[in-house]
Amino acid sequence: MLPQASTISQNVDSLFNFIFWISLISFIGVVVTMIYFVIKYRRSRWDPFKTPYITGHSAMEISVSLGLFILVMVIFAWGWIDYKKIIHAPADTLEISVLGKQWLWEFEYANGRKLTNELIVPKGRPVKLIMSSADVLHSFYIPNFRLKQDVIPGTYTTLWFEATQVGEHPVFCAEYCGTAHSKMLATVKVLEPNDYKRWEKEEKKEKGAVISPIELGKNLFTQKGCNVCHTLTTQALVGPGLLGIFGKEVDLSDGKKMKRDENYFRESLMQPQAKLVKGFPPVMPTFQGTLTDEEVNALVAYLKSLK
Ligand code: CUA
């Protein structure tokens, strides 16, 4: 068996084992009964007559259907409960950006530190990966954590986990993405919380000049002229004010409401007219092709930081 190295591993395994054993027991039950019937009701020299034909048995049919329905609903409810745990990250997570590209994984921390094919995280702390792809579909798969999430160009997907075992855990790309797909490997290195703090400090010293995504986003905000139309307060100019809007609901011009999450910001940069805020004219230019993935991440990080 694979190590159970995250808080969700045990849950996934329990459900898997439940389904496995139910299937195995049912299979054996069906085959043994079938063999028993074949032998018991066979036509032979001592009993040359056909067994009477049975046309139906309502009580039996209803109870079998009901029993199977209940079993399937138990599996569904069990899966649903765990699925909700997997998709809803706790509030205070360590956020790390992940960029998948042919054929490597790039990780970027809040302070601007970048690692390739190695993700360093502390044990016992929830980590949230905000993932995107630079080219084609990839899938971030950590078997020891029992977690997998598609990584898609042009949008963000997220994956959260809390590691429970110090050590190295392999990461695979689980979506065929071209020639070197099978070599698109990485490692999650889990450190004790104290070792992680030490690692964070060390790299700060050695990489003093690195600019964090939030700072880069702040620079881009003026370089790209965002500040012409958007204030950093709640006051509207040509476009909405940007203070404290992350994670909040907004009224759109088509009467719908939506939450402003990472994907909303990204779409607003690339296709500004797709979801117009109520009361504002469709005048924002698109930044499709003028911003790199890294710059988009930086602007999104900066907007998130405006609290
Ligand atoms: Cu990336 Cu397969």
Side-chain angles (χ1 to χ4, degrees), residues 3 15 73 100 141 154 161 233:
L15 180 54
M73 290 319 285
Y141 176 35
F161 60 83
T233 65

Side-chain angles (χ1 to χ4, degrees), residues 101 103 105 136-139 173-178 181-182 184:
K101 48 173 98 161
W103 287 274
W105 297 101
V136 298
L137 267 182
H138 302 279
S139 184
C173 178
E175 186 71 54
Y176 181 69
C177 56
H181 156 72
S182 63
M184 194 167 164

Side-chain angles (χ1 to χ4, degrees), residues 167-222:
E168 296 193 352
H169 307 287
V171 176
F172 298 94
C173 178
E175 186 71 54
Y176 181 69
C177 56
T179 318
H181 156 72
S182 63
K183 295 192 185 105
M184 194 167 164
L185 306 167
T187 311
V188 183
K189 200 169 164 187
V190 180
L191 302 179
E192 290 289 355
N194 284 336
D195 294 336
Y196 181 78
K197 270 190 201 132
R198 206 170 305 137
W199 173 79
E200 252 187 334
K201 267 186 209 147
E202 271 168 27
E203 69 84 12
K204 259 181 211 156
K205 257 183 272 162
E206 94 196 27
K207 288 240 176 185
V210 164
I211 184 168
S212 76
I214 293 178
E215 286 169 71
L216 177 61
K218 192 178 176 182
N219 296 345
L220 286 167
F221 191 78
T222 37

Side-chain angles (χ1 to χ4, degrees), residues 105-119:
W105 297 101
E106 244 174 42
F107 305 102
E108 188 177 19
Y109 291 75
N111 60 8
R113 173 79 188 259
K114 278 189 194 160
L115 298 176
T116 300
N117 290 340
E118 189 182 50
L119 174 63

Side-chain angles (χ1 to χ4, degrees), residues 35-43 47 51:
I35 293 169
Y36 171 75
F37 281 5
V38 163
I39 294 166
K40 177 154 191 223
Y41 297 107
R42 76 190 191 281
R43 229 197 289 193
D47 186 10
T51 313

